[in-house]
Amino acid sequence: MAQKIIFTNDINNSLNQVLEDIDFNKLFVLTDVNTSHYVAPKLAEVFYNHNATHITIPAGDTNKNIDSLTQVWSKLGNNGATRRSLLINLGGGMVTDLGGFAASTFKRGIRFVNIPTTLLSAVDAAVGGKTGINFNGLKNEIGVFNEADAVIISTTPLYTLPKEEIKSGFAEMLKHGLLKGKDTFNKLLAFDFDNFNPDHLLDLLEESVNVKREIVAIDPHEKGLRRALNLGHTVGHAFESLAMSRKSPIPHGYAVAWGMVVELVLSHLILKFDSDVLHRYAQFICDNYGVFYITCNDYPALISLMKHDKKSNCGEMNFSLLSDVGDIKINCEASEEIVEAALDIYRDLMHI
């Protein structure tokens, strides 16, 4: 069954329609403490009409862990969830990742619906069937592929978000622009974070989600083409893990934005990617995202983390790179020496 994705700025009506179309005996709603306060009240009538049981977990990616997962399983079990129950994941990527995994494993799987409340989760985490938690200091180490029955995507929750959250999600849109082609990519580089209207973002968001949607339809379990969506993530996840080891976590989208700088450098060094495009992208990131500070002393830890990436089969460093905007090459291996050179150039581009 194909995943239903609904783009709307009338979440209540769309959710009512989705619930009418799904046969379930008990409704559960998963939020974190933020979405419980800011977003869930806007859907209170729908939840009340279906006698929903609410589950609230701590916010933040550091809580996408086994403890929060156990809390969700326990709440489901203690409140009579069966295999015919339905879980709505209302929140950012942490909630949709963890909630999707909880639903996929409770009683060997119950149905779930994602309602992403951040730009990052709308464009990335909530769509495509990846679920999971962080484990043993590594991002998304434990999880399964399992698509939600439906995903309701709206820009109305974005009014509650700080600009940092918008930028975090926009980084994944930049990735999709690089995968799609120059027209889309150039349109994104012209985006003005200081003067944007969430209502006007819905069409651009739909275009971005459809890039991922088309790739996932061809390769749902990441055996080949879907690895294109990992552009920026091998280095980005290493940056995230390094930041967590420093006790100073960074937003996922920011890590991907900085990771894509390094991986576009690798694309230039290995595949002759256009250096002018690389410099334009790096300048946009430097101007809007700042920098992730590293020194050469961090290289061994970063390289070790990249070797632990899920795309690595035998401890090699495996990347999805670009020979041009819109021309992805998957399964590109790079030596430690060339990765160190790319990190050197990243530091130059970021003025570190």
PDB file of all heavy atoms in Angstrom, residues 2 126 214 275 313 320 322 335:
ATOM      1  N   ALA A   2       0.643   2.143  -0.957  1.00  0.00           N
ATOM      2  CA  ALA A   2       1.425   3.369  -1.045  1.00  0.00           C
ATOM      3  C   ALA A   2       1.092   4.290   0.114  1.00  0.00           C
ATOM      4  O   ALA A   2      -0.059   4.405   0.532  1.00  0.00           O
ATOM      5  CB  ALA A   2       1.145   4.067  -2.373  1.00  0.00           C
ATOM      6  N   ALA A 126       9.427  12.344   8.578  1.00  0.00           N
ATOM      7  CA  ALA A 126       8.074  11.788   8.620  1.00  0.00           C
ATOM      8  C   ALA A 126       7.704  11.018   7.365  1.00  0.00           C
ATOM      9  O   ALA A 126       6.730  10.261   7.356  1.00  0.00           O
ATOM     10  CB  ALA A 126       7.051  12.914   8.847  1.00  0.00           C
ATOM     11  N   GLU A 214       9.669  10.278  -4.840  1.00  0.00           N
ATOM     12  CA  GLU A 214       9.971   9.576  -6.086  1.00  0.00           C
ATOM     13  C   GLU A 214      11.119   8.584  -5.897  1.00  0.00           C
ATOM     14  O   GLU A 214      11.085   7.469  -6.425  1.00  0.00           O
ATOM     15  CB  GLU A 214      10.321  10.596  -7.176  1.00  0.00           C
ATOM     16  CG  GLU A 214       9.129  11.436  -7.620  1.00  0.00           C
ATOM     17  CD  GLU A 214       9.542  12.672  -8.408  1.00  0.00           C
ATOM     18  OE1 GLU A 214      10.747  12.785  -8.743  1.00  0.00           O
ATOM     19  OE2 GLU A 214       8.674  13.522  -8.683  1.00  0.00           O
ATOM     20  N   SER A 275      33.272  23.940  -8.935  1.00  0.00           N
ATOM     21  CA  SER A 275      33.759  24.659  -7.750  1.00  0.00           C
ATOM     22  C   SER A 275      32.984  25.947  -7.508  1.00  0.00           C
ATOM     23  O   SER A 275      32.851  26.394  -6.371  1.00  0.00           O
ATOM     24  CB  SER A 275      35.259  24.964  -7.894  1.00  0.00           C
ATOM     25  OG  SER A 275      35.502  25.824  -8.987  1.00  0.00           O
ATOM     26  N   ASN A 313      30.019  -1.066   4.590  1.00  0.00           N
ATOM     27  CA  ASN A 313      29.863  -2.518   4.683  1.00  0.00           C
ATOM     28  C   ASN A 313      31.042  -3.186   5.378  1.00  0.00           C
ATOM     29  O   ASN A 313      30.874  -4.159   6.091  1.00  0.00           O
ATOM     30  CB  ASN A 313      29.701  -3.126   3.275  1.00  0.00           C
ATOM     31  CG  ASN A 313      28.397  -2.698   2.606  1.00  0.00           C
ATOM     32  OD1 ASN A 313      27.348  -2.705   3.233  1.00  0.00           O
ATOM     33  ND2 ASN A 313      28.482  -2.324   1.335  1.00  0.00           N
ATOM     34  N   SER A 320      27.470   9.382  -0.770  1.00  0.00           N
ATOM     35  CA  SER A 320      26.675   9.731  -1.942  1.00  0.00           C
ATOM     36  C   SER A 320      27.123  11.125  -2.370  1.00  0.00           C
ATOM     37  O   SER A 320      26.986  12.087  -1.610  1.00  0.00           O
ATOM     38  CB  SER A 320      25.178   9.734  -1.607  1.00  0.00           C
ATOM     39  OG  SER A 320      24.748   8.440  -1.252  1.00  0.00           O
ATOM     40  N   LEU A 322      27.999  14.112  -5.819  1.00  0.00           N
ATOM     41  CA  LEU A 322      27.437  14.695  -7.032  1.00  0.00           C
ATOM     42  C   LEU A 322      28.538  14.988  -8.043  1.00  0.00           C
ATOM     43  O   LEU A 322      29.573  15.560  -7.687  1.00  0.00           O
ATOM     44  CB  LEU A 322      26.714  16.005  -6.711  1.00  0.00           C
ATOM     45  CG  LEU A 322      25.426  15.926  -5.874  1.00  0.00           C
ATOM     46  CD1 LEU A 322      25.049  17.319  -5.390  1.00  0.00           C
ATOM     47  CD2 LEU A 322      24.294  15.328  -6.699  1.00  0.00           C
ATOM     48  N   SER A 335      39.386   7.716   0.569  1.00  0.00           N
ATOM     49  CA  SER A 335      40.453   7.360   1.509  1.00  0.00           C
ATOM     50  C   SER A 335      40.488   8.341   2.666  1.00  0.00           C
ATOM     51  O   SER A 335      39.910   9.440   2.599  1.00  0.00           O
ATOM     52  CB  SER A 335      41.803   7.378   0.791  1.00  0.00           C
ATOM     53  OG  SER A 335      42.122   8.716   0.391  1.00  0.00           O
TER      54      SER A 335
END
